[in-house]
Amino acid sequence: MRVVVAQDAPDAYKLAADAILTQVTKNPSSCLGLATGGTAEGIYPYIVQAHREKSVDFSNVRTFNLDEYHGLSQGNPQSYINSMNRWLFDHINMKRENIHIASGVGNAEESVEKFKKELKEFGPIDLQLLGVGKNGHIGFNEPNSFLNAEVHLQTLSNDTIKNNARFFKNEQEVPRTAITMGMGDILKARKILLVATENKQNAIRMLFTNDHVCPEIPVTFLKLHPDVTVIIDKALAIKAGLQNEIEKNILCEEL
Ligand code: GLP
């Protein structure tokens, strides 16, 4: 596992965007795994900018989003499909048929099966972008997840509901379930890029300060993957006790 310590959050977002852009430039038919949440939102403007200013081509890129709330329609600004359209897809030249996000409406079991089938057909993912929840969740794989889990309907933990309430009018509006790629799907990606800033110190500490892999903190499953790069900002590195790692490097070029 490589760790890149960025000066601050915008620097971390830019480094992550550069890693994604490098992947797309090297392989214009890349299959990307994408994420949502505040961290991911910070990354996409740099990708849009590179598309506009450097003509980075997405016409053959395929994407799979990690997860989607169940019960929110595409018209709801908090649904992940709506967010992804606003942040990224409406601004780059991707083909709509190459965008895969589990449907948040209709029969959940059918959405799960459809998404699972698409992932099997077009995977594996070349580069999977990840954020991490404060409690260590990945996608919506909550504490006590299974290592080999596939796409499934997940009941959200109280912690996640409380945390994500900041994006809704109030806590009651946060959906109680979501469809998510499983940890098994995520670990099948060829490369993983995890980005974290702010208050994720507990999760990041568990990732770097011991070799424990524990289902209570799903992010620790990433220790089992051979090609993971973690980009964090300096403030988080200090909070997580990673003073020694604080030297910015250029490992992103390897991606
Ligand atoms: C949501 C998403 C996760 C994301 C997490 C952290 O729960 N399902 O994929 O990692 O939020 O988001 P943020 O970057 O806003 O802290």
Side-chain angles (χ1 to χ4, degrees):
M1 194 172 311
R2 296 176 284 260
V3 57
V4 178
V5 180
Q7 281 308 314
D8 51 23
D11 191 24
Y13 302 151
K14 180 153 192 331
L15 285 170
D18 286 347
I20 294 169
L21 291 163
T22 301
Q23 169 69 39
V24 171
T25 309
K26 275 190 190 160
N27 175 8
S29 305
S30 290
C31 182
L32 300 177
L34 298 180
T36 41
T39 309
E41 185 180 2
I43 295 169
Y44 295 130
Y46 293 105
I47 295 183
V48 172
Q49 191 184 1
H51 170 67
R52 284 200 185 127
E53 293 174 6
K54 297 183 192 150
S55 306
V56 179
D57 179 23
F58 288 85
S59 59
N60 288 315
V61 169
R62 187 176 290 282
T63 60
F64 280 88
N65 263 80
L66 275 173
D67 46 16
E68 177 61 286
Y69 286 116
H70 188 240
L72 298 190
S73 69
Q74 187 163 339
N76 187 315
Q78 293 314 326
S79 71
Y80 285 162
I81 178 63
N82 191 298
S83 305
M84 287 304 301
N85 285 338
R86 277 182 287 121
W87 297 340
L88 185 67
F89 298 143
D90 287 349
H91 311 288
I92 59 175
N93 64 330
M94 275 197 65
K95 295 191 185 100
R96 285 282 152 178
E97 65 265 29
N98 287 351
I99 295 171
H100 303 267
I101 302 193
S103 169
V105 290
N107 182 295
E109 231 168 82
E110 280 171 20
S111 301
V112 165
E113 287 313 312
K114 182 170 180 285
F115 194 60
K116 213 185 256 183
K117 198 167 156 249
E118 291 170 354
L119 198 53
K120 284 213 167 88
E121 185 176 349
F122 298 111
I125 285 166
D126 293 304
L127 175 62
Q128 175 66 58
L129 172 66
L130 298 177
V132 58
K134 236 178 120 182
N135 63 357
H137 75 247
I138 293 287
F140 272 126
N141 291 276
E142 293 282 24
N144 298 313
S145 282
F146 293 102
L147 178 61
N148 287 322
E150 296 189 300
V151 178
H152 61 281
L153 183 71
Q154 172 82 47
T155 300
L156 303 188
S157 69
N158 289 337
D159 281 348
T160 298
I161 291 169
K162 279 197 171 50
N163 242 316
N164 289 5
R166 68 191 194 279
F167 298 115
F168 293 80
K169 275 201 206 105
N170 53 54
E171 211 177 295
Q172 275 61 49
E173 281 199 6
V174 184
R176 271 31 187 178
T177 54
I179 294 172
T180 182
M181 279 186 207
M183 283 313 301
D185 299 314
I186 293 165
L187 291 169
K188 278 191 193 120
R190 293 196 167 102
K191 293 168 195 264
I192 291 181
L193 175 64
L194 180 125
V195 187
T197 62
E198 294 182 339
N199 54 2
K200 310 291 171 56
Q201 59 272 18
N202 292 342
I204 294 302
R205 201 178 291 125
M206 281 302 286
L207 200 54
F208 288 113
T209 56
N210 60 48
D211 60 1
H212 297 170
V213 173
C214 42
E216 297 78 23
I217 306 176
V219 70
T220 62
F221 287 148
L222 299 183
K223 293 176 195 182
L224 302 171
H225 192 282
D227 193 339
V228 178
T229 300
V230 180
I231 303 180
I232 54 176
D233 67 341
K234 203 168 168 179
L236 173 59
I238 292 168
K239 279 194 259 177
L242 296 171
Q243 280 83 350
N244 294 340
E245 281 78 0
I246 299 181
E247 58 182 71
K248 190 171 160 183
N249 53 39
I250 51 160
L251 289 168
C252 274
E253 279 186 4
E254 289 177 22
L255 283 169

